[in-house]
Amino acid sequence: FNLGCAYYDGVHVQQNYEVAAKWYTLAAEHGIANAQHNLGCMHVEGQGVQQNYDIALRWFNLAAEQGDAGAQHNLGCMYNEGQGVLQNYDIALRWFHLAAEQGYADSQHNLGTMYHKGNGVPQNYETAAKWYTLSAEQGNCVCQHNLGAMYSKGEGVIQDIETAIHWYT
């Protein structure tokens, strides 16, 4: 796995995605969740390997079942956007929840967006504000902006211009 990272990032070796994929594959086949996740990402992007959503899905699933929040998030994204799979908000929601509960800011953001817009769930501004806040507190600037807007309008929260300014700032 570490050799895969070194070749992927070009640390002390020349960056080479194909070699990184080789080392990640060896580690992934031994059940290393981080390698499975990284290999899934490479298959989504076509870095060092041919782009293949089916293979990415397989690696993400293996890592996600081991509790890898990044893989859970990426599965949520694939199902939320219908990327290589049929769009399915219920499955996306399940994966986003698993990652968000581990503190994964991007999944918290995506859950906030799903509840804010009512994508696959009943629209619920209070729940959206909860997830946006968790992500915003980790520095997610989109969530900080969204909270500013919600506090300025009083959507799901008590209208409070001071708090809106805080989040906008």
Side-chain angles (χ1 to χ4, degrees), residues 105-164:
D106 289 339
S107 283
Q108 292 166 340
H109 167 241
N110 288 359
L111 283 174
T113 300
M114 289 179 83
Y115 282 102
H116 197 200
K117 295 181 177 180
N119 288 347
V121 295
Q123 188 174 45
N124 185 321
Y125 291 140
E126 289 178 19
T127 303
K130 168 195 159 185
W131 290 113
Y132 282 156
T133 300
L134 290 169
S135 185
E137 288 172 345
Q138 295 186 67
N140 184 304
C141 62
V142 174
C143 290
Q144 292 167 346
H145 173 268
N146 292 348
L147 281 172
M150 292 179 85
Y151 275 99
S152 70
K153 297 174 190 172
E155 287 181 343
V157 294
I158 296 171
Q159 187 175 27
D160 182 341
I161 299 305
E162 297 282 324
T163 304

Side-chain angles (χ1 to χ4, degrees), residues 1 13 17 33 35 39 41-42 56 67 70 78-79 86 97-98 100 119 122 124-125 127 130 133 140 143 146 150 156:
F1 173 72
V13 295
Y17 291 141
L39 200 52
C41 291
M42 293 181 80
M78 290 181 80
Y79 282 100
L86 291 176
H97 263 288
L98 287 170
N119 288 347
N124 185 321
Y125 291 140
T127 303
K130 168 195 159 185
T133 300
N140 184 304
C143 290
N146 292 348
M150 292 179 85

Side-chain angles (χ1 to χ4, degrees), residues 88-98 111 114-115 120-121:
N88 187 319
Y89 289 130
D90 291 336
I91 296 173
L93 189 71
R94 180 172 63 90
W95 286 117
F96 285 148
H97 263 288
L98 287 170
L111 283 174
M114 289 179 83
Y115 282 102
V121 295

Side-chain angles (χ1 to χ4, degrees), residues 11-73:
V11 175
H12 303 296
V13 295
Q14 181 152 354
Q15 185 178 47
N16 186 322
Y17 291 141
E18 290 176 11
V19 175
K22 173 190 131 183
W23 289 112
Y24 282 152
T25 299
L26 289 171
E29 289 170 348
H30 281 91
I32 306 297
N34 288 339
Q36 293 166 340
H37 170 247
N38 291 2
L39 200 52
C41 291
M42 293 181 80
H43 279 281
V44 166
E45 298 297 324
Q47 292 177 313
V49 295
Q50 188 156 352
Q51 185 180 46
N52 187 318
Y53 293 130
D54 291 335
I55 294 172
L57 191 68
R58 181 171 62 88
W59 288 121
F60 286 150
N61 270 306
L62 288 170
E65 292 296 336
Q66 294 185 67
D68 185 282
Q72 292 167 343
H73 171 76

